[in-house]
Amino acid sequence: MKIHSDLDITNRAAAALQIEALVAAHRPDQVFLELPTEEPSPATLGALARAQRMCRSLNVTFTVAGSHVQLRESRDQDPARLDSGARRHR
């Protein structure tokens, strides 16, 4: 799946629900989510965290990739920690 643009507070929940609906309908072994930017917004990270929790509860492997970053969570490993709020400043 690909998030085509960075999410904001008004479309975060809708995006998370669409991801959940696709996973529920297709029951894949793994989910690969491509982010639109290398520094996602807090709303995008929130939807990502929700999708990660849902995949973990279904024992589905979850992988996230962005411009130059890749995070992989295996079913057999501890979940990777996600940034959960504040924007990162350079």
Side-chain angles (χ1 to χ4, degrees):
M1 291 179 254
K2 182 175 184 175
I3 297 177
H4 292 284
S5 61
D6 216 11
L7 302 175
D8 59 30
I9 199 75
T10 61
N11 56 14
R12 172 186 62 188
L17 286 173
Q18 285 181 333
I19 293 168
E20 289 179 19
L22 284 168
V23 172
H26 297 283
R27 296 291 183 182
D29 290 330
Q30 64 180 352
V31 171
F32 179 85
L33 187 63
E34 186 178 342
L35 299 178
T37 66
E38 63 185 52
E39 292 189 33
S41 69
T44 300
L45 290 173
L48 175 66
R50 184 171 168 176
Q52 179 188 38
R53 286 190 304 271
M54 184 259 316
C55 286
R56 188 182 315 134
S57 73
L58 296 172
N59 202 29
V60 172
T61 302
F62 186 73
T63 304
V64 177
S67 298
H68 69 282
V69 143
Q70 187 166 356
L71 166 69
R72 180 173 175 83
E73 179 183 317
S74 170
R75 291 177 239 193
D76 302 326
Q77 298 174 340
D78 290 331
R81 185 174 182 111
L82 298 174
D83 292 341
S84 61
R87 285 191 180 270
R88 289 170 272 163
H89 296 282
R90 290 181 178 215

